[in-house]
Amino acid sequence: MLPEKGPPPDTPRDIRARPAPGRLVVTWNASERATGYRIRWADRTRLVATPDTQLDDLRDGEQYRVEVRAVDAYGQVSEPGRAVGTPGPEPRWQDGLTGLLDEFPDDRTLLADRPGSRWHLSGYRGCVGLGRSVEGEVGLPIDLGCGADEAVLRARAPLRLGPDGVLGRFAVLTDAAGPGGRLTMDLVPGPADRIGSGRRDDPALLPAGTVRTVVDDVGARVVAGSGLDVLPGAPSGVRPGPRGAGALHLVEVLVTTGGVRVRQDGVEVASAPVVPRWREAYALVGIHAPPGRRARVHVAGAGFSGAASADPRVLETPVNLSTRQVLDPAAEAPSVGTVRRPLATAESARFVVTMVMSAGMDVAGARVQVGTWTLPARQAVPGPPPAPGAAVTVVADVPPELLGPSGPDPLTPLVVRAPGAGEGALVQESYLEVVPIPAAPTPMTTTQPARTDRPRATTDAMPTATVTLGDSVGRPLPTTTVTPQGRLLLLVTLNGSTAQWDTGGLEGVQGFQLWLDGRLAASLPTSTATGAPGGTYPIPVGLTGRARGEHTVEVRVVGTTGTTSSTLTHFTTE
């Protein structure tokens, strides 16, 4: 028996339209039985999976009526809820960001091979890059193109704490923490390019003195490294309001004499009773896309309080090491090096390397070998190294003998060494940071960081389908091997929350078919008009009499415009 429709979902309540220049961010309370929502404004409509969306390309000062209907797994819609909003100036979140404020009207402040760069962008080359902005797009676009990427923006100037009260404020306006995504905001007592280890929130993986704020699907929280003063009390956190894909939200970290507080859109969502011992730190903005999905995220503004610093006049150029493996001091190095062209017009220079710690590795003994020179490498963040598996940034100064127009070329080998380096000790990023000779011509190099040519998607994606094997009452099975008797319950899940990352909207589903071993086993229509934004559908399958061996389950999904997709899974009877 196929699942049947229930009553329509409830009408969305408490609809709010928060104004900003050229846009409205619309939020509402989630409706019972809803798997998504249809929004109507002006002459446009959009289907979304979460109770939050951003309406762009609006005229400031013009009043817009917004209508929101809840939609269930079968395309049934509720009565509409309504709100009115007027795009235009928003409360001045930028006020007080005297140490640094960047609203990214373009990507010039990230181009590290040009004078005046204010940020270093760290990311795996070929996967992370600056997106080419399209008309109507708000904020600096960063493309995460390989499905398991992290992009980290590090301010070149430090945040300096004030004397009392709110010692420091660090703010970011971004859509990075949308469904499946993750935003980290780190204050680190040293210019590290990356810290931690992916999505793990273990304090032992952070440099001493680090204050990390995490905002993701779980909620908001503060993760404190060692070397902080701990006050009486316990950390707190609440589940922040909704964050839809493509909707900008303001996240602020306040360092106070009474601890660290975190706000989303002006509402406190987390705190921790810790106070740093440092008086200045470097601000890092970490961006993760949903796992396994290419995505474009936007940073529309970032900055911090405190005394301002002059932008350093450094240039960067990436360097390819002979091997990504961190070598033990006695290990043989490949005969591959690098040209010294970036050093020809350098007043000073240093190698900056971010690598992953392996068990037993002594980062205090790290060296960068450049030809016949062995350069001591110091940690960018002083103190004990983080635990194995964590990223650590080291810096090695280039000696005067390697600067200027003359000298050996190429420099072979170019490797990183550390006592005890073993399996897992890998270089994540390496580049030269150069202070050019005054009035020397800027070397013409490829734009760094790279711009990506991946076009922004303009067609809404359909929800993605997955199939879970369940027993006769729907409990997930621990294995894909089942006995050939009774029945199997296939739970087909159509998930729209991460599918809308590129465009902010979904193509609705008008139905799907389930094929078993190449034969049609079930066909379930949802809605040919509105389209379903997703849902979970239990489909029973009889096992008695089926041949032993592997069986193939295919789900074919059909969208309201005729778009199709399919997914495969398998189970075995024995």
Side-chain angles (χ1 to χ4, degrees), residues 192-250:
D193 287 336
R194 296 196 217 180
I195 63 172
S197 178
R199 292 177 178 248
R200 294 171 60 191
D201 291 332
D202 185 349
L205 298 171
L206 302 178
T210 296
V211 176
R212 161 164 282 190
T213 295
V214 182
V215 186
D216 58 13
D217 288 346
V218 175
R221 55 204 176 276
V222 177
V223 183
S226 61
L228 299 168
D229 290 331
V230 180
L231 306 177
S236 67
V238 300
R239 193 171 184 86
R243 297 179 301 273
L248 297 170
H249 292 274
L250 179 67

Side-chain angles (χ1 to χ4, degrees), residues 279-331:
R279 299 306 301 173
E280 72 174 38
Y282 287 81
L284 279 64
V285 181
I287 297 165
H288 296 251
R293 183 171 187 84
R294 300 171 68 186
R296 172 170 289 191
V297 297
H298 302 84
V299 181
F304 47 77
S305 60
S309 302
D311 294 331
R313 59 186 188 96
V314 297
L315 305 177
E316 287 180 12
T317 184
V319 292
N320 294 318
L321 303 180
S322 304
T323 174
R324 287 187 60 218
Q325 180 70 45
V326 179
L327 301 179
D328 185 82

Side-chain angles (χ1 to χ4, degrees), residues 119 160 182 216 277 357 361 398 511 523 534 540:
W119 303 87
R160 294 188 171 94
R182 173 181 164 101
D216 58 13
R277 299 169 186 168
M357 294 280 297
M361 187 171 113
V398 176
S523 180

